[in-house]
Amino acid sequence: ALPALTGACGGGEAGDADELVVLAAASLTDAFGELGEVFEDQRGVAVTFSFGGSSSLREQILEGSPADVFASASPGPMADLVEAGAVGDPVTFATNRLQIVVPAGNPGGVRDLGDLARDELLVGRCAPEVPCGEVARRVLEEAGVDAAPDTEEPDVRALLVKVAEGELDAGLVYVTDVRSAGDRVEGIDLDEAGATTDYQMAVVAGSARSGLASEFVSLVRSRRGQQVLQSYGFSEP
Amino acid sequence: MLDARTVLTVGDLELDVELAVGDGEVVALLGPNGAGKTTVVRALAGLAPLEAGHVRVDDRTLDDPSRGTFVPPEARPVAVVFQDHLLFPRMSVLENVAFGLRSRGVRRHEARDAARAWLDRVGLADRTSDRPAQLSGGQAQRVALARALVTEPRLLLLDEPLAALDATTRLQVRSELRRHLDGLSGARLLVTHDPVDALVLADRLVVLERGRVTQSGTPAEVAARPASRFVADLVGLNLLHGAAAGEHLVRLPAGGELVVAEPPPAGPLALAIRPQAVALHRTAPEGSPRNAWQATVVEVEGSGDRVRVTLGGSVPLTAEITAASAAALGVVPGERGWATVKAVDVDVYPS
Amino acid sequence: MLDARTVLTVGDLELDVELAVGDGEVVALLGPNGAGKTTVVRALAGLAPLEAGHVRVDDRTLDDPSRGTFVPPEARPVAVVFQDHLLFPRMSVLENVAFGLRSRGVRRHEARDAARAWLDRVGLADRTSDRPAQLSGGQAQRVALARALVTEPRLLLLDEPLAALDATTRLQVRSELRRHLDGLSGARLLVTHDPVDALVLADRLVVLERGRVTQSGTPAEVAARPASRFVADLVGLNLLHGAAAGEHLVRLPAGGELVVAEPPPAGPLALAIRPQAVALHRTAPEGSPRNAWQATVVEVEGSGDRVRVTLGGSVPLTAEITAASAAALGVVPGERGWATVKAVDVDVYPS
Amino acid sequence: MNPSAPPPRREVRHRAPLVLVAPALLALGFLLLPLVGLLQRAPWSDLGPLLGEPIVTDALRLSVLSATAATVLSLAVGVPLAWLLARVPFRGRSVVRALVLLPMVLPPVVGGAALLFALGRRGLVGEPLHEATGFLLPYSTWGVVAANAFVAMPFLVVTVESGLRGADRRLEDAAATLGAGRWTVLRRVTLPGALPAVLAGAALCWARALGEFGATVTFAGNLQGRTQTLPLAVYLALESDREAAIALSLVLVAASLAVLIPLRDRWMR
Amino acid sequence: MNPSAPPPRREVRHRAPLVLVAPALLALGFLLLPLVGLLQRAPWSDLGPLLGEPIVTDALRLSVLSATAATVLSLAVGVPLAWLLARVPFRGRSVVRALVLLPMVLPPVVGGAALLFALGRRGLVGEPLHEATGFLLPYSTWGVVAANAFVAMPFLVVTVESGLRGADRRLEDAAATLGAGRWTVLRRVTLPGALPAVLAGAALCWARALGEFGATVTFAGNLQGRTQTLPLAVYLALESDREAAIALSLVLVAASLAVLIPLRDRWMR
Ligand SMILES: Nc1ncnc2c1ncn2[C@@H]1O[C@H](COP(=O)(O)OP(=O)(O)OP(=O)(O)O)[C@@H](O)[C@H]1O
Ligand SMILES: Nc1ncnc2c1ncn2[C@@H]1O[C@H](COP(=O)(O)OP(=O)(O)OP(=O)(O)O)[C@@H](O)[C@H]1O
Ligand SMILES: [Mg+2]
Ligand SMILES: [Mg+2]
């Protein structure tokens, strides 16, 4: 039942020679979990993941919590870290597409972005401050749809729960989120361009194992890595 | 009118007390510490449900396990003065006294006026706005008294309501209380350790010992013929036990003998002798007193102009003589002397 | 040895009491409700800091605002019996009594043995494992007494320690207490409302009224010449006030006059008359008594075989006569009759 | 207690024993140090202008309002519940007593989801309610209040219950013999006696509600002026501009101090 | 209280007045309804296997351990702090009293960040500590305990303080005259008297710690077996498998009930 959680398994203290500490955005849980196993098979080195919101991860790194790799769900937090010189050069390793998400059976009969403007529907999206919200705003502007949302979720999870419970008739979230929510929701592809955001990762400055760290980065960018990512709905940069 | 038989167990005391108090009657409940007086009060008030028996006030049944009847305290026409006051700490003295009337639906200012009147009667008119914590022990007790009396209940239960009062206040409050009780139509039960309170206030005494009634009757009866050491001590009488040993003779367990006026009845006897009837002498006295024996002074207690002398020996008695004669005789513990009692002063009855 | 002057204000009572209690001495502190007795006790124990004055025990200064000295209660060699017991509800009776020794570092089982011994003395050997809530009022008070006495302190403060005891227990505990007090070397202060307690237990009486000492001396002195109505009531004496009105004459404010034995001193006078010295008659009496006047019976209180008759009129007195003669004379409230007092029975002294 | 009674002229300082003071200071340090850290990082210069921004003022207003509303609600129904648990013996009472704590144990998001299950448009009660009245809790300020109350009420209930247990039953007996029914007894005797507990409970409840985040966002969503409380604003700010986030948290802190200090000062003596 | 004392033979039921029962039931319904909803949605079938998963057992063990540790810690230092606030008058006491509540007001993420500012490797205290001893709180189970304690201790402190205020000062006076120092008085007289409050505080503290999420993930990270508590596991599960998330929450609920019911049953009478 828990592909994601059965992935990583903790070793000794953070900072052991044979352990790579990876801080990654929560939406990468499943994909990275799988890649972690691959990495361990290849290099015989345990990978310890700490998944969380990109911003709380940023705090940890800024405050010097030992880590080797940071993978962010959006350029924002990464930029802060680069500016602070807390990480090396970031690379974009995947992108994520926006989708309209509706409850199973699409009770609201939503077909395209235009429908999000319909008053009788309860529509939610991410808050403009968070990546998925920022993208959503852009897309809607370009499509010339002014849909006043009923809620601007700070967190994709909260948005998904609402849609899955039928508390919202439609919302804008990432493809990967739609997948993870299983059969309680349906995703509707957008043809609009620019409905994507970049996932970036970088080696943390002062990592004791920068060698291993960059190896992990390249694993993620390798064919194998990209296959795994795509199997969870991410796209190549 | 109260008619009750309270049967219940607290700790290892098994209480079984029958009580009947007529309208307008005041019954004093006396008894040693731990006899069950407070428990009886709690049972009558509905704070300690009965296990058996019944509580009836004015023929209304308030508690009767056999019939499954139980009227909760707040629905009973009672008022209680608790042994430990139990004033409400967060209310002013006035609010405390007004509480009973208020919660029985009397309007605020009426209740307060009544309360003020009563606080005045117990001499606390100037403390109305204080908190109980600011009162002295005796003041608190008077507030508790006022709080109960102001509600004019059908059954009034007073648990040692005067214990903490000073001599003067006690006199005042006692006659105040007496006047009030005379005015009331309901039944009143007074728990006290003070014989004077009992004698002054009560029409009838009920003596409770170890959860059972051991004696009851008018103050005079009880005072005259105590059935137990407790009552004897209470009324300051000497109580001896013995058995008939001749036409006019009673023999005591300690070995002594006393001559009595009338032929004593058969069986175990009780002898009551007033301390004032016991005279003391340096030397063997001649003359009328039929009983004279040598005794040793065990203890001397002075109170006011009188002295109580406890005597040991074959006839253990307490004698009461004036301070003057005590000085004259030079009565001190350890001294030996002669004691006399007139036969007519020895009151004999079956025990 | 205690040497103290306690000056402090509680509510609107301004307390200023000088107290000196020698080693081995027992001083009884008497006074009306609200006089400040408990406050004095609290001040000596360190629970109510002084505003001025000092508290010294065995020449060790415990409190002295002028010098900024203050020894907290736990560091004082005192023990207190509180008027409202204040037993620890969450501890057993035994733990309560052992507490003082325990917190002074005595080993557990020793402390418990001592506690058991004392509980035995106050007749509660069988209640050691109970909680205070399971005790009766009198039992609780005895536990409080034991709790204080077990820690033989240099200064022992007893605030109405016998108020809740029944007649028999009272006699026992009182003599038990007396024996113990005689054995102690420290200073002891006893607050009580019961004259007998005071007379039996105390070497010296101090009378406190409205925060000030109004009289002090041996029981005999105080009892013989009460300085205030309170003391008079306490010892059951009649107290009148008046002024010299002739060589052997004293005039009373109410208008009456009394003939006295010796020429009265000038200035305001106090007259003490024993109730037993007042005789009552149906008709105008002839013969020796120099004072005879008509009086109205106001109240009749019977206690035991004696009756106290309160008289109104120009010479307000209380007479004490036997129940017999009361019956014979038919003394009832409202009756008018004659009262007589011998001149020698009128004790006159400056007030 | 009594204004007319003058305070003792002389406050005698008992020295507090180290065995107590040392750990106490340790605790204090542990609780306050992070705040110091926060203050250090605070962009004092931006603070001024920030407070002007409507988004902040809106959020602040909403936070204080909803937290207060939730507290009032909790008092109205939570105190009776506490009384029931403390005074009325019934079967399974201990289970209920534990159940009351559960909203605290649930991770906020799950708590919010659970609220949706119950009061949402498709919820157990929400659905019939919505169909009957068209009333919808989520996305409305009432939804925020509901979420706050759900998360914060347990603190009130538990604290007040403990207060009621501490109260002296004999006083209630005395009140009963004076003819006071249980409601009067509670109102005039028990609660005044348990006042410290009630106030503590209310303070806990209010503070917890003010900081509530997870359940609110999941149940009520996030819309400026309607459902966006300060904690939500902080969370969002954290994404884009952490300086602002810290500043906003300080606003939150200041607001709570402004309410709590006078309140407890007034009553807690 | 005393086992030897037989219970009254006859339990008399006073009827509880509607004015109290009605709101109480309302509160109960409001608090429990969401749980019902949760149970409805629960995937009972998966529950069994789920409990076998090492990740779940790890998280459960860690949650219970850290919550308990945090509670013990809070008791050790929080009770003295409560005593200080309740009994020792000092300037600015009311401010301190309010400051103690702040960790509740901070949004969890900010709280976690604040903890990093204080105890992180670059933190006010954390840095010197780390340099001196090499000890590092984040990523360690102690970090979780710290985060839990930081968020949960205020509940204990406030509740216990209110309990101490409720206690009868005259008993403490009596104890003092018997030679007991303040520490003894607290230990043997005051705390036993305030037991209900202490227990309530401990229960609140434990439950809050058990459910703690935001501060923990920010301060201590989210490493399975080391810092991943059940709420964190739930958070991740929500990513991928919401059934599992609900199941996990129920595990959390069950765990807390298993602890709270017997505990409060045992003491709360
Ligand atoms: N809750 C209880 N549990 C166990 N025993 C109790 C309880 N309450 C009272 N008792 C016992 O019952 C007996 C009667 O108590 P009660 O208070 O009625 O005595 P009392 O006659 O009022 O004595 P006092 O004159 O000292 O007030 C005492 O021995 C007491 O220890
Ligand atoms: N905390 C307080 N605040 C205000 N007034 C107080 C306070 N404590 C005592 N008093 C007042 O001080 C006076 C003395 O009280 P105290 O208890 O010393 O009297 P007492 O001599 O012990 O009386 P009793 O014989 O009734 O015990 C009383 O009038 C009381 O009302
Ligand atoms: Mg009693
Ligand atoms: Mg007193």
Side-chain angles (χ1 to χ4, degrees):
Chain A
L2 292 172
L5 303 184
T6 43
C9 60
E13 257 306 316
D16 292 5
D18 60 351
E19 183 191 55
L20 195 67
V21 178
V22 177
L23 308 189
S27 49
L28 292 165
T29 307
D30 299 7
F32 272 30
E34 201 171 322
L35 286 171
E37 283 172 345
V38 176
F39 191 72
E40 283 174 44
D41 298 343
Q42 290 178 354
R43 309 285 291 93
V45 175
V47 183
T48 301
F49 290 102
S50 180
F51 296 107
S54 302
S55 46
S56 37
L57 297 175
R58 175 194 59 198
E59 291 304 318
Q60 292 176 26
I61 294 170
L62 281 175
E63 293 307 318
S65 304
D68 304 307
V69 179
F70 172 53
S72 166
S74 63
M78 188 61 86
D80 295 345
L81 290 173
V82 173
E83 189 184 335
V87 297
D89 300 340
V91 292
T92 303
F93 65 92
T95 66
N96 209 346
R97 263 179 314 112
L98 219 54
Q99 258 193 336
I100 299 178
V101 62
V102 297
N106 191 359
V110 177
R111 272 168 281 90
D112 56 22
L113 273 182
D115 293 324
L116 299 190
R118 281 158 53 192
D119 287 348
E120 76 275 18
L121 295 188
L122 284 175
V123 178
R125 61 163 117 127
C126 296
E129 293 86 345
V130 293
C132 69
E134 200 280 327
V135 179
R137 213 194 71 255
R138 224 170 45 223
V139 174
L140 287 168
E141 264 175 12
E142 285 164 4
V145 182
D146 79 345
D150 296 279
T151 174
E152 296 182 327
E153 302 289 331
D155 173 359
V156 182
R157 222 163 287 90
L159 184 51
L160 264 183
V161 172
K162 290 196 182 63
V163 177
E165 288 307 317
E167 297 295 337
L168 287 175
D169 298 308
L172 284 167
V173 298
Y174 292 124
V175 166
T176 55
D177 301 315
V178 177
R179 294 248 187 129
S180 67
D183 54 10
R184 312 188 92 258
V185 301
E186 297 169 9
I188 302 169
D189 280 321
L190 299 173
D191 28 29
E192 281 77 0
T196 65
T197 186
D198 294 348
Y199 276 58
Q200 296 185 324
M201 67 195 298
V203 176
V204 176
S207 154
R209 291 169 292 291
S210 43
L212 273 176
S214 33
E215 280 186 46
F216 182 78
V217 174
S218 38
L219 167 67
V220 173
R221 304 181 66 189
S222 70
R223 291 233 34 65
R224 180 71 189 283
Q226 291 300 311
Q227 281 167 5
V228 172
L229 282 167
Q230 280 158 37
S231 70
Y232 287 97
F234 294 96
S235 338
E236 294 210 36
Chain B
M1 201 203 71
L2 167 71
D3 160 28
R5 171 151 180 258
T6 60
V7 179
L8 67 157
T9 313
V10 281
D12 36 24
L13 177 82
E14 278 160 14
L15 197 72
D16 183 347
V17 178
E18 292 211 39
L19 266 177
V21 184
D23 277 340
E25 193 184 21
V26 180
V27 169
L29 189 60
L30 300 153
N33 296 131
K37 304 184 292 298
T38 297
T39 309
V40 169
V41 168
R42 290 177 50 82
L44 296 178
L47 298 175
L50 296 183
E51 289 154 18
H54 63 270
V55 175
R56 258 181 240 110
V57 171
D58 301 340
D59 303 324
R60 174 170 166 226
T61 300
L62 299 181
D63 192 352
D64 188 342
S66 66
R67 290 207 253 139
T69 326
F70 180 84
V71 179
E74 61 266 31
R76 298 188 179 200
V78 299
V80 188
V81 176
F82 291 93
Q83 192 168 7
D84 39 13
H85 316 338
L86 297 181
L87 299 179
F88 306 123
R90 293 291 192 298
M91 296 183 200
S92 74
V93 163
L94 187 65
E95 290 166 329
N96 263 279
V97 178
F99 186 86
L101 295 174
R102 292 285 293 138
S103 55
R104 290 200 168 86
V106 177
R107 255 198 253 76
R108 163 173 255 98
H109 73 273
E110 286 175 28
R112 299 203 155 205
D113 293 347
R116 251 187 225 91
W118 258 107
L119 283 170
D120 193 19
R121 285 198 195 172
V122 297
L124 291 174
D126 56 335
R127 307 305 298 262
T128 48
S129 59
D130 286 2
R131 294 296 169 102
Q134 301 173 312
L135 297 178
S136 77
Q139 292 164 338
Q141 186 160 52
R142 272 135 70 195
V143 174
L145 189 60
R147 185 176 67 173
L149 295 180
V150 74
T151 62
E152 314 212 327
R154 295 298 302 159
L155 173 61
L156 180 58
L157 306 166
L158 308 164
D159 196 349
E160 299 185 34
L162 307 176
L165 302 188
D166 69 70
T168 311
T169 315
R170 197 187 189 86
L171 290 175
Q172 293 158 358
V173 173
R174 192 194 290 143
S175 45
E176 185 62 51
L177 183 59
R178 182 200 203 165
R179 201 163 308 118
H180 179 69
L181 291 182
D182 293 345
L184 280 183
S185 66
R188 283 97 61 200
L189 188 68
L190 168 74
V191 177
T192 180
H193 288 309
D194 182 339
V196 180
D197 289 344
L199 296 167
V200 172
L201 294 172
D203 306 313
R204 203 151 50 77
L205 308 188
V206 173
V207 180
L208 189 64
E209 294 182 71
R210 267 175 256 78
R212 297 280 187 282
V213 174
T214 55
Q215 187 173 12
S216 70
T218 67
E221 290 163 16
V222 175
R225 308 191 143 200
S228 65
R229 151 114 350 262
F230 168 75
V231 179
D233 289 339
L234 190 70
V235 298
L237 274 186
N238 289 300
L239 182 68
L240 298 174
H241 291 281
E247 217 207 319
H248 285 278
L249 208 60
V250 174
R251 174 167 297 108
L252 310 178
E257 289 184 339
L258 285 176
V259 179
V260 295
E262 306 91 26
L269 300 175
L271 296 79
I273 303 172
R274 290 182 297 101
Q276 300 77 15
V278 182
L280 297 181
H281 316 264
R282 278 211 141 298
T283 57
E286 301 86 25
S288 64
R290 306 278 305 281
N291 295 299
W293 68 95
Q294 270 206 308
T296 316
V297 175
V298 175
E299 192 164 25
V300 182
E301 275 187 6
S303 74
D305 66 337
R306 288 205 200 69
V307 178
R308 292 178 75 91
V309 184
T310 313
L311 302 172
S314 59
V315 187
L317 283 180
T318 299
E320 183 173 303
I321 57 178
T322 62
S325 50
L329 292 164
V331 182
V332 290
E335 271 298 311
R336 283 182 66 77
W338 288 80
T340 58
V341 177
K342 296 202 212 109
V344 292
D345 283 334
V346 182
D347 186 3
V348 188
Y349 51 97
S351 76
Chain C
M1 199 202 71
L2 167 71
D3 160 27
R5 171 150 180 257
T6 60
V7 179
L8 67 156
T9 313
V10 281
D12 37 24
L13 177 82
E14 279 161 13
L15 196 72
D16 184 347
V17 177
E18 292 212 37
L19 267 178
V21 185
D23 278 340
E25 193 185 20
V26 180
V27 168
L29 188 59
L30 301 153
N33 295 131
K37 304 183 293 299
T38 297
T39 309
V40 169
V41 168
R42 289 177 50 81
L44 296 178
L47 298 175
L50 296 183
E51 288 153 18
H54 63 271
V55 174
R56 256 179 242 112
V57 170
D58 300 342
D59 302 327
R60 174 171 167 225
T61 300
L62 299 181
D63 192 351
D64 187 342
S66 65
R67 291 207 253 138
T69 326
F70 180 83
V71 179
E74 61 267 30
R76 298 188 179 200
V78 298
V80 188
V81 175
F82 292 92
Q83 192 168 5
D84 40 12
H85 317 339
L86 296 182
L87 299 179
F88 306 124
R90 292 292 191 299
M91 297 183 200
S92 73
V93 164
L94 187 65
E95 289 167 328
N96 262 281
V97 178
F99 186 86
L101 294 173
R102 291 286 293 137
S103 55
R104 289 198 168 88
V106 177
R107 251 196 258 79
R108 165 175 252 97
H109 73 273
E110 288 176 25
R112 300 202 155 206
D113 293 348
R116 254 189 221 87
W118 257 108
L119 284 170
D120 193 18
R121 286 197 197 173
V122 296
L124 290 175
D126 56 334
R127 306 305 298 265
T128 49
S129 60
D130 286 0
R131 294 295 170 102
Q134 301 173 313
L135 297 177
S136 79
Q139 292 164 338
Q141 186 161 53
R142 273 134 71 192
V143 174
L145 188 61
R147 185 176 67 172
L149 295 180
V150 74
T151 71
E152 317 203 321
R154 295 297 303 159
L155 173 60
L156 180 59
L157 305 166
L158 309 164
D159 197 348
E160 298 184 35
L162 307 176
L165 302 189
D166 67 70
T168 309
T169 315
R170 198 187 189 86
L171 290 174
Q172 292 158 359
V173 173
R174 192 195 289 144
S175 46
E176 184 60 52
L177 183 59
R178 181 199 204 165
R179 201 164 306 120
H180 179 69
L181 292 180
D182 293 345
L184 279 182
S185 67
R188 282 97 61 201
L189 188 68
L190 167 73
V191 176
T192 179
H193 288 308
D194 181 339
V196 180
D197 288 345
L199 297 166
V200 173
L201 294 170
D203 306 315
R204 200 150 52 76
L205 307 188
V206 173
V207 179
L208 189 63
E209 294 182 71
R210 269 177 255 77
R212 297 280 188 283
V213 174
T214 54
Q215 188 173 12
S216 71
T218 66
E221 289 164 15
V222 174
R225 306 190 146 203
S228 64
R229 151 112 352 264
F230 169 75
V231 179
D233 290 339
L234 190 70
V235 298
L237 275 186
N238 289 301
L239 181 68
L240 299 174
H241 291 280
E247 216 206 317
H248 285 278
L249 207 60
V250 175
R251 176 167 296 104
L252 309 177
E257 288 184 341
L258 284 176
V259 180
V260 296
E262 306 91 25
L269 300 175
L271 297 77
I273 303 172
R274 288 181 298 102
Q276 299 77 16
V278 182
L280 297 182
H281 316 264
R282 279 212 141 296
T283 58
E286 301 87 24
S288 66
R290 305 278 304 281
N291 295 302
W293 68 95
Q294 270 206 309
T296 315
V297 176
V298 174
E299 192 164 24
V300 181
E301 272 188 8
S303 74
D305 67 336
R306 290 210 195 64
V307 178
R308 292 177 74 91
V309 183
T310 313
L311 302 171
S314 59
V315 187
L317 284 180
T318 297
E320 184 174 301
I321 58 177
T322 61
S325 50
L329 291 165
V331 181
V332 288
E335 271 296 315
R336 283 182 67 76
W338 288 80
T340 59
V341 175
K342 297 203 212 109
V344 292
D345 283 331
V346 181
D347 187 2
V348 187
Y349 50 96
S351 75
Chain D
M1 265 178 164
N2 163 332
S4 81
R9 305 258 176 296
R10 178 154 160 256
E11 240 316 329
V12 176
R13 281 251 173 296
H14 300 254
R15 244 186 290 75
L18 198 66
V19 57
L20 284 173
V21 174
L25 294 181
L26 202 65
L28 207 54
F30 177 63
L31 289 178
L32 297 190
L33 206 59
L35 295 171
V36 178
L38 214 53
L39 292 175
Q40 256 192 343
R41 303 272 199 301
W44 295 105
S45 50
D46 319 5
L47 220 48
L50 200 67
L51 290 176
E53 302 205 11
I55 180 157
V56 177
T57 49
D58 280 0
L60 181 58
R61 208 190 69 260
L62 192 66
S63 285
V64 173
L65 280 184
S66 55
T68 311
T71 309
V72 171
L73 200 83
S74 303
L75 279 169
V77 297
V79 169
L81 178 55
W83 174 84
L84 203 69
L85 291 174
R87 286 283 185 274
V88 182
F90 57 87
R91 293 186 60 263
R93 173 160 68 162
S94 49
V95 179
V96 174
R97 191 180 286 129
L99 284 173
V100 166
L101 281 172
L102 291 189
M104 302 171 49
V105 188
L106 289 177
V109 184
V110 179
L115 271 173
L116 285 174
F117 301 161
L119 303 174
R121 187 170 58 163
R122 303 255 181 287
L124 286 169
V125 172
E127 187 155 22
L129 187 76
H130 179 55
E131 273 153 17
T133 65
F135 179 66
L136 197 57
L137 269 176
Y139 322 122
S140 78
T141 305
W142 285 114
V144 179
V145 174
N148 286 350
F150 178 69
V151 175
M153 194 191 297
F155 297 103
L156 181 99
V157 174
V158 172
T159 314
V160 172
E161 189 205 345
S162 78
L164 295 183
R165 295 186 163 281
D168 184 347
R169 303 291 295 265
R170 298 175 314 150
L171 289 177
E172 302 183 359
D173 288 349
T177 63
L178 287 164
R182 304 190 104 187
W183 166 237
T184 315
V185 172
L186 179 67
R187 210 181 77 257
R188 297 209 47 205
V189 177
T190 315
L191 280 186
L195 197 62
V198 176
L199 289 169
L204 287 179
C205 181
W206 189 80
R208 178 70 182 90
L210 195 68
E212 215 304 302
F213 166 71
T216 308
V217 71
T218 312
F219 179 63
N222 169 48
L223 203 62
Q224 186 192 335
R226 205 192 308 162
T227 58
Q228 184 176 72
T229 59
L230 209 39
L232 293 181
V234 171
Y235 182 87
L236 289 176
L238 208 51
E239 290 291 329
S240 48
D241 170 359
R242 67 191 283 265
E243 303 277 286
I246 294 178
L248 285 179
S249 323
L250 290 181
V251 174
L252 202 56
V253 166
S256 57
L257 287 184
V259 172
L260 291 172
I261 292 181
L263 171 104
R264 312 192 71 207
D265 231 21
R266 175 100 196 291
W267 295 108
M268 268 290 189
R269 46 178 85 265
Chain E
M1 262 179 161
N2 163 334
S4 82
R9 303 258 174 299
R10 178 152 158 260
E11 240 313 332
V12 176
R13 281 254 171 294
H14 300 255
R15 244 184 293 72
L18 197 66
V19 55
L20 284 173
V21 174
L25 294 182
L26 201 66
L28 208 53
F30 176 62
L31 290 178
L32 297 191
L33 206 58
L35 294 171
V36 177
L38 213 53
L39 291 175
Q40 260 193 343
R41 304 278 202 294
W44 295 106
S45 50
D46 318 5
L47 219 49
L50 197 68
L51 291 175
E53 306 243 14
I55 177 141
V56 177
T57 50
D58 279 1
L60 182 57
R61 208 189 68 259
L62 189 65
S63 285
V64 173
L65 281 182
S66 55
T68 310
T71 308
V72 172
L73 200 83
S74 303
L75 280 168
V77 297
V79 169
L81 178 55
W83 174 85
L84 202 69
L85 291 175
R87 285 283 185 274
V88 183
F90 57 86
R91 293 186 61 262
R93 174 161 67 163
S94 50
V95 179
V96 174
R97 192 180 285 128
L99 285 173
V100 167
L101 281 173
L102 291 190
M104 301 171 48
V105 189
L106 288 177
V109 185
V110 178
L115 270 172
L116 283 170
F117 300 162
L119 303 173
R121 188 162 69 172
R122 306 255 171 75
L124 287 168
V125 170
E127 186 157 22
L129 186 76
H130 180 60
E131 274 156 12
T133 66
F135 179 66
L136 197 59
L137 271 174
Y139 296 144
S140 76
T141 306
W142 285 115
V144 180
V145 175
N148 285 350
F150 177 69
V151 176
M153 194 190 298
F155 297 103
L156 182 100
V157 175
V158 173
T159 314
V160 172
E161 190 206 345
S162 79
L164 295 183
R165 293 185 166 283
D168 184 348
R169 302 292 294 265
R170 298 175 314 149
L171 289 177
E172 302 184 358
D173 287 350
T177 63
L178 288 163
R182 304 190 104 187
W183 167 237
T184 316
V185 172
L186 179 67
R187 212 182 75 256
R188 297 211 44 206
V189 178
T190 315
L191 281 185
L195 196 62
V198 176
L199 289 168
L204 286 179
C205 180
W206 189 80
R208 178 71 182 89
L210 197 66
E212 214 305 301
F213 163 70
T216 310
V217 73
T218 310
F219 179 62
N222 179 10
L223 283 64
Q224 187 201 337
R226 211 184 301 157
T227 65
Q228 185 177 81
T229 59
L230 213 36
L232 297 193
V234 171
Y235 168 86
L236 287 189
L238 272 171
E239 276 295 329
S240 49
D241 173 351
R242 128 177 207 300
E243 242 74 49
I246 293 179
L248 285 178
S249 322
L250 290 181
V251 173
L252 204 56
V253 166
S256 57
L257 286 184
V259 172
L260 291 173
I261 292 180
L263 172 106
R264 311 191 73 205
D265 232 22
R266 174 100 196 292
W267 295 109
M268 269 288 189
R269 47 179 85 264

